Amino acid sequence: MPFLTAAVVLVGALGALNLVLVLGVVKRLREHSALLAGRRGAPSADIEVGTPIAEFETVTEAGEPLTRASLTEDLLVAFLSPGCAPCVEKLPGFVAHARSLPGGRRRVLAVVVGEPGEAAAFAAPLGPVAQVVVEEPNGALSRAFGVHAYPTLLRTGPDAEGRPVVTSNAVDLTRPTAMAV
């Protein structure tokens, strides 16, 4: 009988220990979920800082030609898609952030990727604060930057040799930052 009592006490103790450990894991998962939910400025997709921008030629919605050679200054670049819920969610914040940047719309490039009719409507609020390019999936700018996921927010600028490269792949829209003038 003492053996049976010891076994029951041991199983009870193991059950209590298991409960304590599970409660600890649940608490940590909640903390991590809260951190991930509030995470802003996360790196965009798999585009590394220092990645060179490939050659491209396109035209903005305002009819201005845009090529790799015209990317001579620091630039905030956003790749958005109207069918992407996070893009729709980030659009007002991006517009407000772009409006606060020095240098005006010439220092902001918004690439709206999608079907022309739907993308043009999505691009309308971007026109006053950014150079806007509407392109179909896998368009010239998407290929040049290597973008495959939306939203993708980047900063670009010239490297030591003057070639345009990605200078940041973690843009925080909640903190206005001054770019070099």
Side-chain angles (χ1 to χ4, degrees):
M1 192 64 151
F3 175 72
L4 190 55
T5 303
V8 168
V9 169
L10 179 63
V11 168
L14 287 175
L17 177 64
N18 186 36
L19 179 64
V20 168
L21 291 174
V22 166
L23 290 175
V25 168
V26 168
K27 180 182 176 194
R28 292 288 293 194
L29 284 173
R30 285 186 179 154
E31 290 172 359
H32 283 275
S33 294
L35 287 172
L36 290 173
R39 187 174 174 196
R40 299 186 193 265
S44 289
D46 54 354
I47 301 171
E48 298 291 327
V49 171
T51 300
I53 310 305
E55 292 289 338
F56 67 90
E57 286 186 29
T58 191
V59 178
T60 68
E61 288 293 288
E64 304 159 336
L66 186 65
T67 64
R68 183 185 121 163
S70 62
L71 303 181
T72 58
E73 301 178 292
D74 292 333
L75 195 65
L76 172 63
V77 182
F79 286 84
L80 307 164
S81 178
C84 156
C87 296
V88 172
E89 182 182 308
K90 284 188 184 247
L91 183 63
F94 177 77
V95 169
H97 185 77
R99 187 174 286 121
S100 73
L101 292 175
R105 66 185 297 280
R106 69 181 176 79
R107 302 291 289 276
V108 182
L109 174 61
V111 182
V112 180
V113 180
E115 299 305 316
E118 189 179 34
F122 188 82
L126 295 165
V129 298
Q131 301 172 75
V132 179
V133 174
V134 174
E135 66 180 23
E136 293 194 11
N138 203 28
L141 283 167
S142 295
R143 287 191 314 273
F145 281 80
V147 172
H148 304 288
Y150 308 102
T152 295
L153 303 171
L154 306 167
R155 290 199 189 277
T156 65
D159 65 4
E161 288 137 24
R163 295 175 301 200
V165 297
V166 174
T167 58
S168 175
N169 62 359
V171 177
D172 185 354
L173 296 178
T174 62
R175 289 186 14 209
T177 55
M179 295 191 291
V181 180

